[in-house]
Amino acid sequence: MGQNKKLKLEELKRLDVDSYKKAKKIPLIVVLDNIRSLNNIGSVFRTADSFAIEKIYLCGITACPPHRDIYKTALGAEESVTWEYRESTLDVIRELQAKGYKVASIEQATNSVELSDVQKQTKIAVVLGNEVKGVQQEVIDASDICIEIAQYGTKHSLNISVCTGIIVHHFSQMLRD
């Protein structure tokens, strides 16, 4: 068989929290619109850390660190990733648009664009919605684009943490090219 050997943590050469905070980030912002699961929130933090995104906005009912259930899945990423709580998702996306971000709601909508067909962006903010209700309609209406991930099975949606991983990986590749 192959000669692959699992790397030890010290062999991964990861940044410490202070170095990470000073490191260059990709111009990608994740906006969580009324996420109810603290485990999902923690998973988003961990994904955001992994891809060195700029910031997370926690909006509406989305819980904020510190919280034991966020920590369980974030594994400390809530300390490294820049985040901010805001009550209104709509206010956040309007402010981001004024700063030159293209705002994309991740939602199945009448004119949504398949993720693989999205044109290259330089600054993007993605909005991920509530596990049951999705992104608020008023937020969709104010967004520049709706993006959908193609699915081929019987379920009509992905878990928000899985969806975030797919979306962030895609834009990470786009923004690093």
Side-chain angles (χ1 to χ4, degrees):
M1 286 274 147
Q3 297 296 317
N4 290 322
K5 174 185 80 100
K6 185 175 175 181
L7 295 174
K8 295 178 180 152
L9 288 178
E10 58 272 7
E11 293 175 302
L12 294 175
K13 297 182 171 106
R14 296 287 190 241
L15 299 173
D16 61 37
V17 172
D18 289 334
S19 298
Y20 178 89
K21 286 184 176 189
K22 294 174 189 169
K24 183 177 178 176
K25 308 297 185 294
I26 61 170
L28 173 62
I29 292 175
V30 171
V31 180
L32 298 182
D33 180 31
N34 292 303
I35 304 304
R36 61 182 168 82
S37 165
L38 282 79
N39 291 322
N40 282 338
I41 297 164
S43 292
V44 171
F45 268 95
R46 194 162 166 195
T47 299
D49 174 277
S50 179
F51 290 99
I53 74 160
E54 189 175 328
K55 188 172 189 174
I56 298 173
Y57 282 95
L58 308 169
C59 302
I61 67 165
T62 308
C64 299
H67 194 286
R68 180 177 48 95
D69 288 334
I70 293 174
Y71 178 78
K72 273 197 263 185
T73 48
L75 297 178
E78 73 282 9
E79 298 296 326
S80 57
V81 175
T82 300
W83 64 272
E84 181 179 340
Y85 174 78
R86 298 287 294 279
E87 187 169 331
S88 170
T89 306
L90 195 55
D91 288 349
V92 168
I93 67 168
R94 286 184 175 144
E95 289 170 23
L96 291 171
Q97 287 168 325
K99 293 177 182 176
Y101 285 84
K102 184 160 193 167
V103 173
S105 284
I106 311 305
E107 190 61 78
Q108 297 163 335
T110 51
N111 293 308
S112 62
V113 175
E114 163 61 40
L115 178 61
S116 61
D117 294 333
V118 174
Q119 300 296 313
K120 185 166 180 148
Q121 304 298 318
T122 55
K123 291 168 63 171
I124 190 154
V126 295
V127 182
L128 293 115
N130 178 274
E131 293 89 339
V132 175
K133 298 177 182 176
V135 177
Q136 298 174 72
Q137 185 62 51
E138 68 179 0
V139 173
I140 291 170
D141 293 343
S143 296
D144 299 302
I145 187 173
C146 280
I147 296 173
E148 186 172 345
I149 299 170
Q151 296 172 60
Y152 306 102
T154 61
K155 298 301 171 194
H156 61 31
S157 65
L158 293 165
N159 176 280
I160 182 173
S161 65
V162 172
C163 183
T164 301
I166 294 167
I167 294 289
V168 170
H169 177 266
H170 178 83
F171 284 113
S172 173
Q173 299 301 304
M174 181 185 286
L175 294 166
R176 290 184 199 286
D177 287 346

